[in-house]
Amino acid sequence: MLTIKELHIQGFKKVIEATDPETKLHCIIAIHNTDLGPALGGARIRSYHDKEEALQDVLRLSRAMTYKSAVAESGLGGGKSVLIAQPSDKSEKLLLSFGKVVDSLKGDYIVAEDIGTSPEDMAIIRRATPYVAALVNEKSSGDPSRFTAWGVYRGIQAVAKTLWGSPSLANKVIALQGLGSVGGKLANILFWEGAQLILSDIDEKKLHNQALLYGAQTIPADNFNSAQCDILSPCALGGIINDETIAKMRCKAVAGGANNQLLLPSHGRKLMEKGILYAPDYIINSGGIINAAAEFDPNGYNPVVARDKVNHLYDILLQVFDIAKKENRPTSDIADDLAEYNLLHGVGKRAVPINFRR
Ligand code: NAD
């Protein structure tokens, strides 16, 4: 039997935990904030050690989605869901019962894919609820990573403009970690922009092939943070900016697509004190959410609209860098200020409700 109970957590609009022993479902959905629109965020399947670990993860991730969507002015709020399960436990029954839990929130939370879930899984969940984004069909916004990669490129241009007076990346040395959906596309763009690439990936074969393709140097995964370069572009792991890595960094800026790059908020200040310009992760990597939000346009999804909005990340980041310099404060704090301002004043608030069809 499916059981849903509310966990009352201060600062969050609604957090629910659901279990169903028959389908092996044990999930938590956190809706952090819906002031600007319904919360959109991925469903992550992971074999968490215990419920507490899962809860902390979903709370952190849902709050980050609020901030990302607020700065992107996407007309969406912040939410996330986690399923405590082994990847081998994933079944149609499990996904359908999870879909019923999403449905119980009546559109306050819209689910999308994340680590451990796929577009095919979303199609199954869609049979239980209409509150699903980025489905594989011709009205869908499709693979977000090409928009994420382009947004990261625009962010790197903003870094170049701020540090060297021109957005040109010709002959700039850029060390890029993670040649996946985002990093792989970014490497291609940077190559054609004339950058000199230093690549890193734990997948040796992929690394070798991409290095050949772009005439790039390679660096072992463990040494990535100490790469001598102009810009360090993390596009794989979270938490990679911490006391240990900052001490080793030999770059002038950090600008990459990975989520949750700062291990602690205070690491934004430590980067600043070391003279390293940081492009706040949830701004520079928001191209994907901007594209997903375009799916809910009353006129239907149009990639041109999404592209134009993603291009605007260049201006947003220039503004963040400018304010940070004038106020001598970390760029990460300025990003938080911008998100909180938009939330408080309803900037980017959804004007027309999303039309979900059952
Ligand atoms: P992906 O799984 O397609 O690619 C990740 C790549 O990183 C793989 O090639 C993997 O081998 C490599 N990798 C893993 N650990 C590594 C390590 N220690 N050193 C070097 N390489 C390593 O993932 P993705 O979709 O490209 O996402 C990358 C990052 O960007 C993640 O942090 C993700 O949360 C974030 N992000 C992605 C999107 C998107 O649109 N896909 C949007 C916003 C943020």
Side-chain angles (χ1 to χ4, degrees):
M1 200 182 71
L2 178 64
T3 314
I4 302 176
K5 73 170 178 194
E6 187 164 352
L7 310 173
H8 297 277
I9 309 236
Q10 211 188 355
F12 285 75
K13 181 172 178 186
K14 193 167 195 176
V15 182
I16 57 170
E17 179 183 11
T19 51
D20 186 345
E22 275 168 43
T23 65
K24 293 195 177 167
L25 176 74
H26 185 186
C27 71
I28 306 175
I29 303 180
I31 299 175
H32 177 249
N33 187 296
T34 57
D35 288 355
L36 301 178
L40 186 139
R44 182 168 286 196
I45 298 185
R46 233 181 94 181
S47 51
Y48 291 97
H49 294 305
D50 52 28
K51 177 187 146 184
E52 190 51 32
E53 190 195 12
L55 179 63
Q56 291 313 320
D57 205 29
V58 78
L59 295 181
R60 182 177 60 86
L61 292 165
S62 65
R63 184 178 176 280
M65 287 305 294
T66 297
Y67 278 64
K68 183 184 287 207
S69 282
V71 175
E73 298 181 22
S74 62
L76 293 170
K80 200 88 182 180
S81 52
V82 294
L83 288 87
I84 306 167
Q86 303 287 341
S88 56
D89 289 337
K90 194 163 82 175
S91 66
E92 190 172 297
K93 273 197 315 192
L94 174 87
L95 294 168
L96 286 172
S97 63
F98 172 66
K100 284 185 199 162
V101 185
V102 172
D103 203 57
S104 74
L105 294 164
K106 300 189 173 69
D108 256 3
Y109 171 66
I110 305 165
V111 64
E113 65 173 285
D114 199 83
I115 297 166
T117 54
S118 65
E120 291 72 32
D121 297 337
M122 292 305 124
I124 296 173
I125 295 169
R126 175 67 182 84
R127 283 159 43 200
T129 179
Y131 309 121
V132 185
L135 288 159
V136 185
N137 65 42
E138 62 181 23
K139 290 182 189 156
S140 156
S141 57
D143 176 6
S145 65
R146 67 191 181 116
F147 288 85
T148 307
W150 187 260
V152 176
Y153 160 60
R154 295 290 284 152
I156 290 177
Q157 282 187 315
V159 164
K161 172 81 181 156
T162 301
L163 291 183
W164 303 295
S166 155
S168 168
L169 302 179
N171 298 317
K172 292 286 175 278
V173 180
I174 301 180
L176 198 163
Q177 179 186 50
L179 299 163
S181 308
V182 176
K185 293 179 182 75
L186 179 63
N188 186 52
I189 300 167
L190 296 176
F191 169 75
W192 290 108
E193 284 299 304
Q196 292 176 34
L197 295 174
I198 303 175
L199 302 179
S200 178
D201 200 292
I202 45 170
D203 182 333
E204 291 288 339
K205 193 163 170 232
K206 193 193 279 184
L207 179 61
H208 177 73
N209 290 342
Q210 299 274 306
L212 281 180
L213 205 57
Y214 301 126
Q217 290 177 47
T218 60
I219 188 163
D222 291 346
N223 297 347
F224 171 73
N225 302 298
S226 56
Q228 175 89 56
C229 59
D230 293 308
I231 298 172
L232 204 60
S233 186
C235 294
L237 311 167
I240 89 140
I241 301 173
N242 53 55
D243 287 339
E244 199 186 321
T245 58
I246 292 172
K248 291 184 194 154
M249 282 181 188
R250 293 187 295 162
C251 57
K252 299 181 185 77
V254 177
N259 273 317
N260 304 315
Q261 291 173 33
L262 302 177
L263 186 64
L264 298 171
S266 57
H267 289 122
R269 176 166 292 280
K270 291 197 172 155
L271 280 179
M272 182 185 91
E273 285 166 357
K274 195 166 170 172
I276 296 174
L277 182 64
Y278 171 59
D281 50 8
Y282 64 77
I283 301 185
I284 193 171
N285 75 12
S286 62
I289 192 83
I290 290 171
N291 185 54
E295 189 172 321
F296 302 122
D297 191 297
N299 299 317
Y301 172 66
N302 181 347
V304 174
V305 174
R307 180 196 62 194
D308 292 350
K309 211 166 170 194
V310 174
N311 271 325
H312 184 53
L313 291 175
Y314 174 81
D315 306 292
I316 296 177
L317 281 164
L318 280 185
Q319 192 191 359
V320 168
F321 297 153
D322 188 46
I323 298 171
K325 190 175 175 190
K326 281 187 185 133
E327 297 186 2
N328 194 27
R329 289 173 60 217
T331 53
S332 47
D333 287 7
I334 306 300
D336 288 355
D337 284 358
L338 188 57
E340 283 158 15
Y341 180 92
N342 287 357
L343 285 163
L344 188 66
H345 297 284
V347 179
K349 188 175 164 70
R350 177 162 298 282
V352 185
I354 299 171
N355 187 4
F356 292 104
R357 289 185 193 83
R358 273 201 189 268

